[in-house]
Amino acid sequence: MASPKTVWYFSVLLVFCCSLEKQDCTGTPNVTSEESPTDGSQVPSREKREELSFGDHKDLRNVIVSTMAATFYEKVGEVQVDVYDIPLEILQYLKSRVKDLTYPILISSVLNVTDINITTECSSDPSGFRCRCEDQYSWSCDQCSSNGSCDEIVDGKICGCLNDYPSDGKFCQPITNLTACPSPTTTAEPSTISGRIIEIELDMTDISATLIDVLRASVSGLTYPVLISNKLNVTDVNFTTACYPNNTCRCEDQYGWSCDQCVSYGSCDNITDDSCRCIKAIPPYGPFCQPITNLKACTTPSPTPAKNSTERSTTTMTPSSTTSIPTTKQSTASPANPTTPSEKTLNLQFTMAIPYDSNYNDENNAVFKDIDQTIKVIYKRNMQGFISAKLNSLKSGSVIADFTVMTTNVNNVEIAKSKEDIVSTLGEKYKIGFTCVNDPIFGNGQLNEKVVVDCKSDEVGQKTAICQKNGSFSDRVDNCVLKEIENLFSLSLALVGTDLPGFLESLRNSTLNLQGRIVASPATISTIVSILKNVANVSQSTPINKPLMKNILETAGVLTSNEAKTSWVDLNKNLTKNESSAFLGTIETISNFLTDDFFDIETQGINLNKTTVNNLVNNLFNLNSSVLIDIPASEASFNSITIITFDSLNNVLPARNSSSLNNIVNTINGKVVLVKVNGTIKNVNFSFDVLDKTLANPQCVFWNFNLFGGLGGWDDKGCELQSDKNGTVTCHCNHLTSFSILMSPFIPRVLRVALDFITYIGVGISMGCLVVCLIIEMLVWKAVTGNNTSYMRHVSIVNIAFSLLIADIWFIIGAAISDNEKKDLPACSTATFFIHFFYLALFFWMLVSGLLLLYRTVMVFSHMSKAAMLAISFSLGYGAPLIIAVITIAVTAPGKQYIRENDGVCWLNWTESRALLAFVIPALTIVVINLLILIVVLFKMLRRGVGDVTQPDERNALVVIARCLAILTPFFGTTWGLGVGTMTTPNNLGIHIVFAIFNSLQGLFILVFGTLLDKKIREALTGRSHVSSNRTRTTSAATSSSSGLGFFRIRRRNVFNVSAAPTSSTTGASETFINT
């Protein structure tokens, strides 16, 4: 067994080998050269350089050069070379090559190099900056004293290592040239023995636990001191710290962590008075566990009355993607007593474009350890309030690194710098890169990363955006608030009545002075609305006089200006906040608490008038000739009225109404007027001048603060349209609040007349074709209904034509009712009911035809009686439509939401009740069902042929039914699909024209494809019908026409159909023989 001393040397060798192999050195590429005369004159001093890198390097060399001429001169030149990017192996090779050179080296005829020596190496490591001399070179005594020695001063005159860059510019000199330090004037003392403690960190990941235990036992069993050289002894070796893969570090016996480290990294055991034994992180640069006797007690915080004042408050910030710091509004002043800085947790991530491996999540995995350590080093270096950092997991998609950073100070600039350092350090190795690059506001970002940046210096808050695949940032959110406005908000939280005059004056001045920046900042507008809310709360106890109200209206006028419209659009997109509704509500609240004075206020965009009311005559209030208010004398049960007119509140309030949260058709097309009285009123008329005369379909509305769960919207309850003439809309309402009119785009009158002409002419043609169809059916009925299938086919086509004819008649009646200046609502509702019912009957009889075709094709041997088929057909054809129509009117009519009241059309309501769906859903569902039936029937017929199972007369009926369904079903579906389009996009002229044309052709298509293209009907009309009553057995060869539909003919070879003649109640059975 090896002796303890052998084991000791082995241990020391192992430690130093590992240390040298993993040593980090730093430097910045640079090359300098200097030449010094042989007389020893001083070289000019150099500036100290701060350098960082990730590899060993040497940056200082001495070169001795001699020159030759007739008379020989010798000069010593010092050359400083920065070899930052040169690998260590190449440096060692160069050093060996320099030593092997043969001198002198001829440079020119007058210059020889007689010797080259490497004298000095300067580098940095985690413990600091060091400059070391090569063999046979050393620092002078003065340099050792002034710069600090990092080794022992030998012989009282030299040292081999300095703690700093030489301040005098001189580098290591030959030992033989150095002189001893001056002897001190005091009496010489005997030489003393100095002791140093050296900490060595050894990575034992790949070393077995058994070997570690042997090493520990061997070290503890050594006899000290251990002689290393005649001047160096090792007096003691102790294991102090053990760090484990679970990211904890524990101290050995009699060692502990300092109180600061226990708090910074988190203790995993109980903190005693001055230390803990375990922490939850590996200190990147030490120090490690120290002797317990050397540790200082923790600083005791000064007592404060607050409960738990010494506890640390922790805030966790979890972004939706990568980096998201929520903005909070500080509403309370900071406590007077100092408190522990709050600890904030940032949950961050970055993506690596490498294949995912589940082994990466093993904390002992090299990739995990590499990324974890890099994160710790980079964020510690860049963040001033850094506490700790930890890689939590690596998950798929490519590979996403989720990590946590704890800090006392969140600085987005520091986070961005750390992010860039992560990419520059690990980017090439793990394929980390930025998708969005060099954005002027948000800088760099990875795909789908939410980037957060700070606001300008005179703003508070943050801006966020998400990096998209195209390399640009979208979903930009600007939460920056001007500091001046934010300060006013803070003051408004503690506002009292006596402070109102000065405060409102300051608010007004700041708003006007900063108008350009306020209108462009949604967050600042939102903050001003919050300030006005606080003012409204104070106004309930402090009446508002004319000067105060003028300041309020001038402030509000800035927010309603045209320049602020874009900001309000952004605010109204957020359906979780009701800033626009709150703004109007605040003005309404303040108007309730005005003083008893009567006064007028005119500001830019908002006018206020408070006046008396005459109880004997009608009261007319003409507001800037744009809004006229008429209050009958019988309703004037009050003595004062306050009217506020907003010229451009349409910039603030969205046009959503009670039927649609995201209404994009309507527009606020009149001024908004707010009316308040000190009593009640149930009868008032408003006349609004239309702002945009290209709009039509006026709706009389008021702002209902309770719509959409408190979000607010325009409502028409209690208001009716009286007239729409000459650019003026008159409304009648039975209550007071904030009123205006909504209007939507319309088709120009000339085009509307042309559209009406197309519609009426087309419907007339359609009705004529339907009458002709019914007459033809009456003439040929007996000749073409010889079997049950033909009979039911003609019953269906007759009822389809009849339903469409009656629906068209009621359509004409409804149009006539709509054209009246004052629409008769009961008559319009009646017309709408019958139009709805008969159009539905049209589609349900189409469904009857489809089911008949499916029944006779698929259920070959099932024979239903004619009476049963008729009962089912009429129940489905008229019963189902009647039920739907009755339910629709019963549900919607009580709320006056059955018909469309605003645009003058007698048809089912869409905007309020969606009653139109009671037609659209059944109709389009039948279209889909019939198309599926056609697919099934085609599949069956193409496989075996319709003639295989039917009589020739029945085969003709089925072919006609299939043809009708194949053509009429898509045609009707397209027609009413366009009809839905006219509801959802009423300003689209093209859809209106195409719908009118398709609607006009419905009757013509039924006549052509349901009647005239039927061969049996044509034969009956020309007198060539020969209906066979023959009951004998017949054989028919069908080499070319017995299979499939008439327009899907497929030739089949040697197919013979043998069928029995039908009896009075059933069709004959058939057999098919195929000769191949």
Side-chain angles (χ1 to χ4, degrees):
M1 182 175 178
S3 67
K5 196 160 190 175
T6 303
V7 174
W8 158 249
Y9 281 123
F10 169 76
S11 302
V12 172
L13 180 62
L14 176 63
V15 168
F16 279 112
C17 285
C18 293
S19 300
L20 288 173
E21 187 179 75
K22 298 187 175 204
Q23 182 180 3
D24 289 339
C25 300
T26 59
T28 302
N30 184 31
V31 177
T32 63
S33 64
E34 295 183 1
E35 194 172 289
S36 60
T38 58
D39 58 5
S41 59
Q42 185 171 341
V43 180
S45 62
R46 300 177 185 85
E47 293 183 357
K48 177 179 174 181
R49 303 181 330 167
E50 295 287 342
E51 301 168 341
L52 286 174
S53 71
F54 291 94
D56 292 337
H57 79 283
K58 307 179 186 345
D59 66 356
L60 190 63
R61 303 289 183 266
N62 280 350
V63 180
I64 301 175
V65 182
S66 66
T67 60
M68 298 175 57
T71 301
F72 292 97
Y73 295 92
E74 181 181 89
K75 291 191 177 183
V76 177
E78 290 183 341
V79 180
Q80 177 183 341
V81 182
D82 192 340
V83 289
Y84 172 80
D85 295 322
I86 301 178
L88 181 61
E89 296 79 4
I90 296 178
L91 290 178
Q92 297 296 340
Y93 174 76
L94 292 176
K95 290 170 66 176
S96 64
R97 292 295 297 168
V98 168
K99 293 179 180 179
D100 295 339
L101 289 174
T102 302
Y103 300 98
I105 300 172
L106 182 62
I107 302 301
S108 68
S109 59
V110 295
L111 178 63
N112 286 341
V113 177
T114 59
D115 198 7
I116 298 176
N117 292 308
I118 298 174
T119 66
T120 314
E121 292 184 15
C122 290
S123 62
S124 64
D125 56 31
S127 60
F129 195 84
R130 302 285 187 266
C131 282
R132 292 181 173 86
C133 297
E134 296 286 319
D135 291 341
Q136 303 304 314
Y137 285 84
S138 184
W139 298 103
S140 68
C141 181
D142 293 339
Q143 289 173 309
C144 295
S145 301
S146 60
N147 295 298
S149 170
C150 45
D151 62 359
E152 297 295 332
I153 297 179
V154 182
D155 297 333
K157 62 179 180 179
I158 60 173
C159 62
C161 176
L162 292 185
N163 281 325
D164 206 347
Y165 202 87
S167 58
D168 59 2
K170 290 185 178 181
F171 296 98
C172 298
Q173 303 297 318
I175 294 177
T176 56
N177 294 350
L178 296 174
T179 59
C181 296
S183 300
T185 58
T186 59
T187 305
E189 296 181 359
S191 60
T192 58
I193 300 175
S194 61
R196 290 182 180 271
I197 299 175
I198 300 175
E199 287 187 344
I200 298 176
E201 179 183 355
L202 180 60
D203 190 347
M204 310 290 282
T205 303
D206 299 325
I207 300 177
S208 66
T210 302
L211 181 57
I212 294 175
D213 291 338
V214 170
L215 184 60
R216 180 185 280 115
S218 299
V219 170
S220 62
L222 286 174
T223 302
Y224 298 99
V226 177
L227 182 65
I228 301 300
S229 69
N230 61 344
K231 297 183 181 298
L232 178 62
N233 288 339
V234 177
T235 58
D236 200 6
V237 176
N238 293 308
F239 285 94
T240 65
T241 313
C243 295
Y244 299 92
N246 63 357
N247 220 38
T248 61
C249 286
R250 294 185 179 275
C251 297
E252 298 285 315
D253 291 341
Q254 304 304 313
Y255 285 83
W257 297 103
S258 67
C259 184
D260 291 340
Q261 289 172 305
C262 296
V263 173
S264 298
Y265 297 111
S267 171
C268 41
D269 63 1
N270 294 325
I271 300 179
T272 62
D273 292 339
D274 52 6
S275 71
C276 62
R277 296 287 301 280
C278 175
I279 60 174
K280 298 178 180 179
I282 302 174
Y285 299 121
F288 294 97
C289 297
Q290 302 297 315
I292 294 177
T293 55
N294 295 348
L295 296 175
K296 296 181 180 179
C298 299
T299 303
T300 303
S302 57
T304 59
K307 186 178 179 180
N308 297 331
S309 60
T310 59
E311 294 182 0
R312 173 184 297 166
S313 61
T314 303
T315 303
T316 301
M317 303 180 181
T318 305
S320 59
S321 165
T322 300
T323 308
S324 177
I325 315 300
T327 302
T328 57
K329 217 178 272 286
Q330 300 297 326
S331 59
T332 58
S334 301
N337 295 325
T339 58
T340 304
S342 61
E343 178 182 291
K344 300 177 179 62
T345 301
L346 308 179
N347 296 314
L348 309 173
Q349 65 178 206
F350 57 83
T351 302
M352 300 174 284
I354 59 175
Y356 176 72
D357 187 342
S358 59
N359 293 327
Y360 289 159
N361 281 303
D362 181 358
E363 294 186 352
N364 292 322
N365 184 276
V367 172
F368 188 98
K369 293 170 63 178
D370 186 20
I371 296 173
D372 182 53
Q373 186 64 23
T374 302
I375 290 172
K376 289 184 172 85
V377 171
I378 288 177
Y379 278 85
K380 178 179 176 65
R381 181 176 67 214
N382 290 329
M383 300 190 71
Q384 292 184 357
F386 178 84
I387 298 174
S388 66
K390 182 180 184 299
L391 176 63
N392 299 319
S393 66
L394 296 170
K395 58 187 182 183
S396 59
S398 305
V399 177
I400 301 175
D402 285 325
F403 60 99
T404 302
V405 176
M406 299 181 68
T407 180
T408 59
N409 177 42
V410 177
N411 186 311
N412 291 313
V413 175
E414 295 176 349
I415 294 174
K417 179 62 169 62
S418 300
K419 183 173 61 176
E420 293 175 0
D421 288 353
I422 289 286
V423 173
S424 62
T425 304
L426 300 177
E428 185 175 354
K429 186 189 299 184
Y430 298 116
K431 297 182 180 179
I432 308 172
F434 292 121
T435 304
C436 302
V437 182
N438 296 331
D439 184 87
I441 298 177
F442 295 98
N444 304 325
Q446 288 194 295
L447 180 63
N448 297 325
E449 179 186 1
K450 187 175 184 179
V451 178
V452 182
V453 298
D454 294 322
C455 301
K456 296 178 181 177
S457 58
D458 61 345
E459 297 175 338
V460 296
Q462 295 168 329
K463 298 179 181 180
T464 64
I466 298 176
C467 177
Q468 300 298 323
K469 189 175 183 179
N470 60 5
S472 63
F473 285 96
S474 66
D475 298 332
R476 299 179 180 231
V477 178
D478 185 348
N479 291 317
C480 298
V481 179
L482 291 169
K483 282 185 179 179
E484 187 171 334
I485 301 300
E486 180 69 13
N487 293 336
L488 288 171
F489 171 77
S490 299
L491 293 175
S492 71
L493 295 172
L495 191 64
V496 295
T498 56
D499 298 334
L500 270 180
F503 178 82
L504 290 177
E505 183 73 19
S506 298
L507 177 63
R508 177 252 186 199
N509 292 337
S510 296
T511 304
L512 294 178
N513 293 336
L514 299 171
Q515 179 173 352
R517 297 185 63 183
I518 288 174
V519 296
S521 171
T524 303
I525 290 177
S526 178
T527 303
I528 295 177
V529 172
S530 298
I531 294 174
L532 293 177
K533 285 183 187 177
N534 296 331
V535 171
N537 293 333
V538 176
S539 70
Q540 297 180 29
S541 58
T542 304
I544 304 298
N545 57 27
K546 181 176 180 179
L548 297 181
M549 193 62 188
K550 185 173 183 180
N551 285 332
I552 293 173
L553 294 182
E554 288 183 344
T555 299
V558 172
L559 304 190
T560 63
S561 63
N562 293 333
E563 292 79 9
K565 184 173 184 177
T566 301
S567 295
W568 281 109
V569 170
D570 290 339
L571 289 171
N572 290 327
K573 287 179 182 178
N574 186 350
L575 299 182
T576 62
K577 300 180 68 176
N578 61 344
E579 297 296 345
S580 57
S581 186
F583 172 73
L584 179 59
T586 298
I587 302 300
E588 281 201 23
T589 300
I590 294 175
S591 68
N592 289 330
F593 300 100
L594 298 178
T595 58
D596 294 334
D597 309 0
F598 300 111
F599 49 78
D600 290 330
I601 299 176
E602 291 187 8
T603 66
Q604 185 176 1
I606 304 177
N607 297 325
L608 182 146
N609 174 262
K610 185 178 180 183
T611 186
T612 58
V613 176
N614 190 333
N615 297 330
L616 301 178
V617 297
N618 289 359
N619 291 269
L620 292 175
F621 303 95
N622 190 350
L623 308 177
N624 294 334
S625 301
S626 58
V627 181
L628 180 66
I629 302 176
D630 181 8
I631 301 177
S634 59
E635 293 290 334
S637 59
F638 48 88
N639 54 27
S640 69
I641 183 172
T642 300
I643 303 172
I644 301 178
T645 308
F646 299 89
D647 293 345
S648 55
L649 201 61
N650 56 321
N651 294 325
V652 177
L653 297 175
R656 56 176 176 252
N657 57 18
S658 57
S659 62
S660 176
L661 179 60
N662 298 307
N663 193 302
I664 60 174
V665 176
N666 291 331
T667 300
I668 302 172
N669 202 27
K671 293 185 177 181
V672 178
V673 56
L674 167 62
V675 182
K676 306 291 288 187
V677 297
N678 59 348
T680 59
I681 190 171
K682 295 183 179 180
N683 184 9
V684 60
N685 292 325
F686 296 91
S687 295
F688 296 92
D689 283 353
V690 173
L691 300 179
D692 184 354
K693 292 182 171 54
T694 65
L695 301 178
N697 307 322
Q699 303 175 49
C700 298
V701 291
F702 71 96
W703 187 261
N704 187 341
F705 292 94
N706 298 319
L707 282 180
F708 306 113
L711 194 62
W714 294 104
D715 197 351
D716 62 357
K717 290 181 180 179
C719 292
E720 294 181 352
L721 175 66
Q722 294 291 101
S723 64
D724 179 11
K725 296 180 179 178
N726 301 323
T728 300
V729 175
T730 302
C731 302
H732 174 267
C733 297
N734 59 15
H735 58 84
L736 291 181
T737 181
S738 299
F739 297 92
S740 190
I741 52 174
L742 295 181
M743 301 181 74
S744 57
F746 78 110
I747 301 172
R749 182 171 182 81
V750 175
L751 296 179
R752 185 176 288 278
V753 171
L755 187 60
D756 290 343
F757 180 79
I758 294 173
T759 300
Y760 290 133
I761 295 298
V763 170
I765 294 174
S766 177
M767 292 172 62
C769 293
L770 292 172
V771 171
V772 172
C773 176
L774 292 175
I775 293 173
I776 292 175
E777 289 291 338
M778 291 174 59
L779 294 175
V780 300
W781 184 262
K782 291 184 179 180
V784 297
T785 57
N787 57 68
N788 286 358
T789 303
S790 296
Y791 181 83
M792 291 307 303
R793 203 284 284 187
H794 286 280
V795 168
S796 297
I797 201 67
V798 166
N799 281 281
I800 289 172
F802 174 76
S803 297
L804 182 57
L805 177 62
I806 301 301
D808 285 345
I809 292 173
W810 277 106
F811 176 82
I812 298 297
I813 296 173
I817 295 172
S818 300
D819 288 340
N820 290 334
E821 183 174 340
K822 184 172 181 61
K823 184 165 59 175
D824 188 338
L825 296 182
C828 189
S829 297
T830 302
T832 300
F833 175 83
F834 283 109
I835 294 172
H836 183 204
F837 169 70
F838 282 107
Y839 273 135
L840 279 179
L842 163 69
F843 279 94
F844 274 94
W845 275 107
M846 289 289 295
L847 179 61
V848 169
S849 296
L851 295 176
L852 175 64
L853 177 63
L854 181 68
Y855 168 70
R856 294 302 299 129
T857 306
V858 177
M859 304 179 68
V860 178
F861 300 105
S862 175
H863 303 288
M864 189 182 300
S865 66
K866 183 184 296 183
M869 296 172 68
L870 285 173
I872 294 174
S873 298
F874 276 88
S875 297
L876 185 61
Y878 290 117
L882 182 62
I883 292 172
I884 295 174
V886 170
I887 291 176
T888 302
I889 193 172
V891 171
T892 59
K896 295 184 180 181
Q897 295 179 339
Y898 179 58
I899 61 175
R900 298 168 56 183
E901 297 184 6
N902 296 322
D903 55 5
V905 178
C906 291
W907 186 224
L908 296 172
N909 184 288
W910 170 253
T911 56
E912 286 84 13
S913 64
R914 297 290 192 271
L916 182 61
L917 294 176
F919 170 73
V920 172
I921 292 177
L924 297 185
T925 300
I926 290 172
V927 169
V928 174
I929 292 174
N930 277 356
L931 291 176
L932 293 176
I933 289 174
L934 276 173
I935 294 172
V936 173
V937 170
L938 282 174
F939 178 74
K940 292 288 186 181
M941 287 183 173
L942 293 176
R943 284 188 61 189
R944 68 188 183 202
V946 69
D948 297 348
V949 294
T950 60
Q951 289 287 346
D953 288 346
E954 288 195 343
R955 181 172 68 249
N956 177 75
L958 293 179
V959 168
V960 174
I961 293 173
R963 183 166 52 212
C964 287
L965 289 181
I967 294 174
L968 296 182
T969 296
F971 180 78
F972 289 159
T974 302
T975 299
W976 289 104
L978 291 169
V980 174
T982 63
M983 301 293 104
T984 56
T985 55
N987 57 325
N988 191 319
L989 178 62
I991 292 181
H992 281 275
I993 294 176
V994 176
F995 172 69
I997 294 174
F998 271 66
N999 194 36
S1000 303
L1001 295 177
Q1002 289 183 106
L1004 178 62
F1005 271 53
I1006 291 174
L1007 174 63
V1008 174
F1009 295 101
T1011 301
L1012 298 182
L1013 290 183
D1014 188 342
K1015 182 178 66 174
K1016 295 295 184 181
I1017 292 178
R1018 294 200 307 271
E1019 290 176 352
L1021 289 175
T1022 57
R1024 294 188 291 109
S1025 175
H1026 302 285
V1027 181
S1028 174
S1029 60
N1030 190 340
R1031 296 178 181 272
T1032 62
R1033 192 173 182 82
T1034 62
T1035 303
S1036 62
T1039 59
S1040 63
S1041 63
S1042 63
S1043 65
L1045 298 176
F1047 52 94
F1048 288 107
R1049 299 191 183 277
I1050 300 178
R1051 300 184 61 87
R1052 299 172 63 187
R1053 298 178 55 204
N1054 301 326
V1055 179
F1056 298 90
N1057 184 298
V1058 180
S1059 60
T1063 63
S1064 59
S1065 61
T1066 62
T1067 59
S1070 65
E1071 299 177 2
T1072 301
F1073 302 92
I1074 303 176
N1075 182 9
T1076 59

